């Protein structure tokens, strides 16, 4: 017998299971049954595709045995089984880096935390929530040596050789004193129906059956009533997605979700679709009601299982659906893929590509429908997944238009968000330009940006995009249908000859002040110019995009070296109609002009969402100005 230590993380998880996660213990059955089902899936595929497993018989079943005297609960499968190496690496360490995420995401709220267990690939350890000793007897299909793994969840486990008929895995849990409920057949059956009704394999269990007394014609008992023990199948074991929609009840869809998503929360919605024609396939996709914890991690766990003609192939293939739909949970099943697909083949397979393309289109069109028919549900969806979906705007050019139509936009003129199809109704039909502003500030701050004043004065609505992702994504989105998307800084409006002339004259009268400002600010600004674009704000800043240093900085950024390049100095725009500047123009107080130049530049930077380089300087200049005013 060899003693081993659990890996540190595994031990941490174990301790959590034993000491902190009490609220939803029953899910340990879901997790062990899910592992048994996975083990059957794996063997099924190997037997069908791998010469080495030709001799192995695949007779799938899962058995649950409750022994009230010994206080043990046993879950047994005829799946792939494990050899010594497998035991060491699967039931002693935690390979998935996602586990770290699990540990980071624990909230202390037990109900929420126990929901996370299944999502992070630590399901096996859940049996220690109810058992103080666990024995795993297992033999890998095609091998001869069986092994017994044992642990009391106290930091150690041991492995020794043993014997076993056939292949598969038997897990015996010695239940803790107050866990007798898990020995009751009706309790187990309820749990199975709730979480594992639609796994593709049959689960059997002994059940008590009441046989009524047999009576003769005179109502005299010939045989007394009795209770028989019968071994019966307790789940439906139908791959739910293969059944036709009309025969599936909502509750069954929900139950299936809980088994494949390892979640006790209800899904927000689902889409079940059977495609017939050149390529036959079925998809059943769920949208969770809450974003998976690892959604923004690179090593997120995919939620789509690929089946080929009901044979499970993989649930770890990120290419099955585009990353911007990574919140989906569900199944893709097709008859038209070769069973022995490798990952490489899968990625370049034309049939798979078609399934993927039409599945994406289907999901997007279902979302579009939801946005029109059920605004409340769509709102809930968008709050959780809108920003992920948005990634599709640059990663999926082919569907950009459809994805844009799913976005909810804030605009200058609307209190509520609007969809682009409604927004364009108010766009100037001759120019066909959709203006937008991006910035990493609050919505109200961005809506009040001086850069929007010239739009407000012309009563032109503008998309206001204040999420961080927007600043990265929208510069890449250049058009929608026949419309151009134009950042506000690039918008050009026609001016009449008269207006131009007037501006030139105004600029002349400000030449003196502009020069004084430039002298005061030095290299902090590229130039100081008057503008007719501002109404309420005295000043604004603008980057000259033709400036070679700006273009250089952009180039360096694209090459991933943006960090080292200083941003080029902005142009300071002054509003000649603003009272402040009118007064400054006529002031002879050089110190005041000097302080005002600095304070106004800082003010424009703040509005632009930038941080001040010298806050102390800003404050002392501001205080000097106030002191003068009093
Ligand atoms: P996950 O199922 O997400 O991988 P678990 O903690 O539930 O995480 O299981 C860990 C691993 O242990 C599984 O990936 C599998 O390799 C192995 N395992 C668990 N139960 C069984 C079983 N009944 N048969 C074969 N292998 C199993
Ligand atoms: Mg598992």
């Amino acid at each position: 017998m060899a003693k081993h230590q659990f890996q540190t993380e595994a031990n941490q998880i174990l301790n959590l299971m034993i000491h902190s996660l009490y609220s939803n213990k029953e899910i340990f059955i879901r997790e062990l049954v899910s592992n048994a089902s996975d083990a059957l899936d794996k063997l099924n595929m190997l037997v069908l595709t791998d010469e080495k497993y030709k001799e192995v018989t695949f007779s799938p079943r899962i058995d649950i045995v409750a022994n009230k005297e010994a206080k043990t609960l046993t879950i047994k499968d005829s799946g792939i089984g494990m050899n010594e190496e497998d035991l060491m690496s699967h039931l002693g360490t935690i390979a998935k880096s996602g586990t770290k995420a699990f540990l980071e995401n624990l909230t202390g709220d037990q109900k929420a935390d126990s929901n996370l267990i299944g999502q992070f690939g630590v399901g096996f350890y859940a049996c220690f929530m109810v058992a103080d000793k666990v024995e795993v007897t297992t033999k890998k299909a095609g091998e001869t040596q069986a092994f017994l793994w044992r642990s009391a969840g106290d930091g150690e486990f041991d492995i020794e050789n043993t014997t076993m008929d056939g292949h598969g895995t038997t897990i015996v849990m010695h239940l803790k004193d107050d866990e007798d409920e898990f020995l009751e057949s009706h309790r187990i059956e309820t749990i199975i129906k709730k979480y594992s009704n639609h796994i593709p394999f049959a689960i059997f269990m002994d059940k008590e059956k009441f046989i009524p007394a047999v009576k003769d014609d005179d109502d005299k008992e010939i045989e007394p009533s009795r209770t028989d023990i019968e071994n019966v199948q307790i789940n439906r074991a139908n791959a739910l997605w293969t059944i036709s929609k009309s025969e599936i009840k909502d509750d069954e869809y929900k139950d299936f979700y809980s088994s494949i998503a390892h979640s006790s929360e209800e899904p927000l919605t689902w889409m079940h679709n059977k495609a017939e024609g050149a390529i036959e396939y079925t998809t059943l996709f769920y949208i969770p009601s809450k974003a998976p914890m690892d959604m923004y991690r690179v090593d997120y766990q995919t939620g789509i299982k690929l089946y080929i003609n009901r044979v499970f192939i993989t649930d770890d293939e990120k290419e099955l659906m585009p990353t911007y739909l990574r919140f989906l949970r569900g199944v893709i099943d097709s008859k038209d893929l070769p069973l022995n697909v490798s990952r490489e083949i899968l990625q370049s397979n034309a049939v798979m590509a078609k399934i993927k393309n039409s599945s994406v289109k289907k999901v997007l069109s279902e979302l579009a429908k939801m946005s029109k028919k059920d605004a409340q549900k769509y709102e809930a969806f968008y709050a959780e997944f809108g920003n992920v979906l948005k990634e599709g705007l640059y990663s999926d050019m082919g569907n950009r238009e459809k994805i844009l139509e799913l976005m909810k936009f804030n605009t200058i003129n609307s209190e509520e968000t609007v969809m682009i199809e409604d927004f364009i109704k108010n766009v100037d039909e001759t120019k066909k330009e959709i203006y937008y502003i991006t910035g990493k500030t609050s919505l109200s701050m961005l809506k009040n940006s001086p850069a929007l004043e010239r739009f407000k004065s012309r009563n032109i609505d503008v998309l206001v995009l204040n999420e961080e992702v927007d600043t990265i994504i929208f510069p890449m989105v250049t058009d929608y249908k026949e419309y151009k998307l134009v950042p506000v800084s690039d918008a050009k409006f026609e001016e009449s000859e008269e207006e131009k002339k007037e501006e030139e004259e105004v600029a002349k009268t400000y030449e003196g002040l502009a020069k004084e400002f430039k002298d005061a600010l030095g290299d902090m600004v590229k130039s100081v110019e008057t503008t007719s674009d501002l109404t309420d704000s005295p000043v604004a800043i603008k980057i000259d995009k033709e400036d070679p240093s700006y273009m250089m900085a952009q180039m360096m950024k694209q090459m991933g070296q943006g960090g080292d390049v200083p941003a080029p100095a902005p142009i300071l725009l002054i509003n000649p109609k603003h009272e402040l500047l009118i007064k400054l123009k006529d002031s002879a107080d050089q110190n005041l002009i000097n302080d005002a130049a600095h304070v106004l530049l800082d003010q424009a930077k703040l509005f632009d969402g930038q941080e001040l380089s010298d806050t102390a300087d800003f404050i002392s200049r501001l205080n000097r100005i106030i002191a003068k005013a009093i």
Side-chain angles (χ1 to χ4, degrees):
M1 187 184 79
K3 268 199 182 309
H4 305 276
Q5 303 285 321
F6 282 107
Q7 173 211 30
T8 318
E9 269 106 358
N11 212 21
Q12 237 172 316
I13 295 284
L14 266 170
N15 278 322
L16 275 167
M17 297 288 181
I18 297 167
H19 301 295
S20 332
L21 301 173
Y22 301 112
S23 77
N24 204 15
K25 288 180 193 173
E26 63 183 33
I27 60 131
F28 81 95
I29 294 186
R30 173 186 78 195
E31 293 303 321
L32 294 195
V33 166
S34 150
N35 286 348
S37 174
D38 291 349
L40 290 164
D41 271 334
K42 279 180 205 156
L43 184 58
N44 191 13
M45 182 177 63
L46 289 173
V47 167
L48 289 168
T49 59
D50 195 329
E51 277 292 301
K52 274 202 312 221
Y53 291 82
K54 240 175 55 194
E55 301 300 316
V56 175
T57 38
F58 180 60
S59 45
R61 65 180 280 151
I62 298 169
D63 287 279
I64 301 186
V65 182
N67 182 332
K68 286 186 178 168
E69 283 78 56
K71 290 191 186 247
T72 59
L73 181 66
T74 301
I75 298 183
K76 180 175 180 230
D77 68 72
S78 56
I80 179 87
M82 287 175 272
N83 58 25
E84 192 169 12
E85 250 184 305
D86 295 336
L87 281 171
M88 286 293 295
S89 61
H90 300 327
L91 307 188
T93 59
I94 290 166
K96 296 191 188 91
S97 54
T99 308
K100 223 173 144 259
F102 170 75
L103 291 167
E104 283 163 10
N105 278 304
L106 289 170
T107 58
D109 168 5
Q110 285 180 14
K111 189 145 177 79
D113 288 348
S114 56
N115 264 332
L116 296 176
I117 293 172
Q119 290 182 29
F120 286 108
V122 293
F124 169 75
Y125 300 101
C127 60
F128 286 98
M129 292 196 288
V130 296
D132 46 23
K133 208 165 85 189
V134 176
E135 293 157 357
V136 180
T137 307
T138 180
K139 187 158 92 190
K140 194 155 188 173
E143 299 185 11
T144 48
Q145 183 61 57
F147 297 93
L148 171 62
W149 178 103
R150 266 189 311 205
S151 177
D154 52 359
E156 291 181 343
F157 61 91
D158 54 56
I159 299 178
E160 62 188 78
N161 290 0
T162 185
T163 55
M164 179 180 174
D165 290 335
H167 53 80
T169 301
T170 302
I171 299 178
V172 179
M173 287 156 273
H174 296 263
L175 298 185
K176 295 181 193 169
D177 279 344
D178 45 357
E179 305 298 349
D180 286 356
E181 58 177 296
F182 298 112
L183 297 171
E184 299 300 334
S185 57
H186 62 267
R187 177 82 170 102
I188 297 168
E189 190 175 0
T190 313
I191 297 171
I192 292 290
K193 289 231 156 67
K194 184 161 158 198
Y195 298 112
S196 313
N197 213 11
H198 298 287
I199 63 155
F201 305 104
I203 304 169
F204 294 91
M205 191 180 64
D206 279 350
K207 254 174 81 173
E208 287 164 0
K209 190 182 177 194
F210 179 75
I211 316 271
V214 183
K215 294 174 181 173
D216 66 10
D217 292 347
D218 301 330
D219 212 26
K220 203 171 161 256
E221 243 180 48
I222 308 172
E223 270 179 60
S225 67
R226 62 193 158 87
T227 344
D228 268 7
I229 303 289
E230 269 190 331
N231 192 254
V232 291
Q233 182 176 336
I234 53 171
N235 67 333
R236 288 187 56 177
N238 46 6
L240 192 75
W241 65 92
T242 61
I243 304 171
S244 90
K245 264 190 208 177
S246 56
E247 287 165 33
I248 308 176
K249 295 193 199 80
D250 280 5
D251 279 343
E252 293 178 303
Y253 276 118
K254 289 177 190 169
D255 290 348
F256 184 60
Y257 172 76
S258 100
S259 81
I260 61 159
H262 297 265
S263 169
S264 310
E265 275 168 50
E266 282 198 7
L268 185 69
T269 190
W270 56 85
M271 320 164 182
H272 189 185
N273 183 42
K274 196 174 189 129
E276 268 148 5
I279 301 171
E280 277 183 39
Y281 65 91
T282 302
T283 52
L284 172 53
F285 295 133
Y286 291 89
I287 298 178
S289 45
K290 285 263 146 29
M293 280 295 178
D294 59 351
M295 193 165 69
Y296 286 108
R297 295 177 55 94
V298 232
D299 58 354
Y300 68 90
Q301 181 67 39
T302 62
I304 305 292
K305 289 175 185 261
L306 176 68
Y307 285 79
I308 296 180
N309 204 10
R310 299 188 193 195
V311 178
F312 171 80
I313 303 296
T314 177
D315 61 358
D316 189 25
E317 178 47 72
K318 296 197 170 164
E319 299 288 318
L320 287 180
M321 285 298 265
T323 49
Y324 70 90
L325 295 177
R326 61 183 175 274
F327 51 83
L328 290 177
R329 297 291 177 261
V331 170
I332 299 176
D333 190 350
S334 175
K335 289 190 172 71
D336 296 313
L337 285 162
L339 253 184
N340 53 352
V341 281
S342 66
R343 180 160 288 201
E344 294 70 41
I345 294 176
L346 207 55
Q347 285 173 6
S348 59
N349 182 284
V351 174
M352 193 62 232
K354 281 201 181 119
I355 295 175
K356 178 174 170 179
N357 276 342
S358 26
S359 298
V360 171
K361 290 220 154 61
K362 185 78 190 165
V363 171
L364 295 178
S365 75
E366 288 292 325
L367 287 173
K369 254 190 241 163
M370 192 207 288
S371 74
K372 298 199 166 90
K373 282 192 189 146
D374 193 341
Q376 211 179 343
K377 199 183 238 186
Y378 193 73
E379 178 63 49
F381 160 78
Y382 200 80
E384 290 293 313
F385 306 113
N387 276 342
V388 176
L389 190 65
K390 215 178 254 175
E391 294 170 13
L393 288 175
Y394 69 82
S395 63
D396 188 356
M397 293 293 277
N399 288 307
R400 173 174 284 178
E401 199 171 300
K402 292 207 176 66
I403 299 168
L404 257 182
E405 286 169 359
L406 292 171
M407 297 289 119
K408 292 165 75 97
F409 294 105
N410 291 297
T411 80
I412 304 182
N413 291 344
S414 56
E415 287 300 315
E416 311 255 298
T417 54
V418 296
M419 312 287 274
I420 200 153
E421 286 165 291
D422 294 321
F423 185 81
I424 53 168
K425 287 177 191 156
N426 295 320
V427 165
D428 180 346
E429 274 304 306
T430 52
K431 287 188 91 173
K432 292 193 186 305
E433 289 185 333
I434 298 170
Y435 304 111
Y436 67 88
I437 185 168
T438 60
K440 281 191 282 186
T441 58
S442 72
L443 186 60
S444 63
M445 180 98 174
L446 199 56
K447 274 192 176 185
N448 286 317
S449 165
L452 293 177
E453 287 174 11
R454 59 191 182 126
F455 296 86
K456 288 175 185 164
S457 64
R458 287 175 172 81
N459 200 20
I460 298 172
D461 204 1
V462 175
L463 305 179
V464 182
L465 314 171
N466 71 314
E467 299 275 352
E468 186 164 3
V469 281
D470 297 331
T471 62
I472 304 159
I473 290 174
F474 277 86
M476 292 188 260
V477 183
T478 52
D479 44 61
Y480 167 67
K481 292 188 173 163
E482 71 272 29
Y483 299 86
K484 292 257 162 293
L485 270 83
V486 181
V488 288
S489 54
D490 291 354
K492 292 200 173 61
F493 299 120
E494 291 286 334
E495 284 182 314
S496 67
E497 282 304 315
E498 255 169 74
E499 280 170 331
K500 269 190 206 157
K501 220 167 154 198
E502 199 182 318
E503 264 175 49
E504 276 165 24
E505 266 159 32
V506 170
K508 258 199 205 115
T509 65
Y510 272 87
E511 262 171 7
L513 183 67
K515 188 170 177 305
E516 284 169 326
F517 268 25
K518 172 65 183 155
D519 288 345
L521 296 169
D523 290 342
M524 291 156 89
V525 293
K526 186 179 150 83
S527 61
V528 180
E529 296 170 11
T530 51
T531 178
S532 58
D533 290 339
L534 295 173
T535 51
D536 302 333
S537 304
V539 289
I541 48 171
K542 172 174 111 174
I543 295 291
D544 177 6
K545 291 194 177 163
E546 316 277 285
D547 190 326
S549 66
Y550 172 78
M551 290 195 276
M552 189 66 190
Q554 285 305 98
M555 240 168 63
M556 300 292 274
K557 230 191 225 165
Q558 274 163 20
M559 296 187 312
Q561 298 168 341
D564 310 332
V565 189
I571 299 171
L572 179 66
L573 301 170
I574 54 178
N575 177 2
K577 295 186 288 283
H578 198 282
E579 191 195 359
L580 231 160
L581 287 133
I582 295 172
K583 285 191 172 157
L584 276 171
K585 179 163 66 88
D586 300 328
S587 165
D589 184 343
Q590 277 310 316
N591 291 331
L592 176 69
I593 290 174
N594 195 329
D595 282 339
H598 281 91
V599 169
L600 288 171
L601 175 63
D602 282 348
Q603 176 183 125
K605 281 185 176 171
L606 285 173
F607 250 126
D608 198 45
Q610 299 182 23
E611 273 171 35
L612 298 185
S613 48
D614 191 345
T615 314
D617 179 67
F618 172 73
I619 292 171
S620 62
R621 285 180 195 276
L622 190 60
N623 288 346
R624 273 206 295 269
I625 296 173
I626 296 171
K628 269 183 192 160
I630 299 170

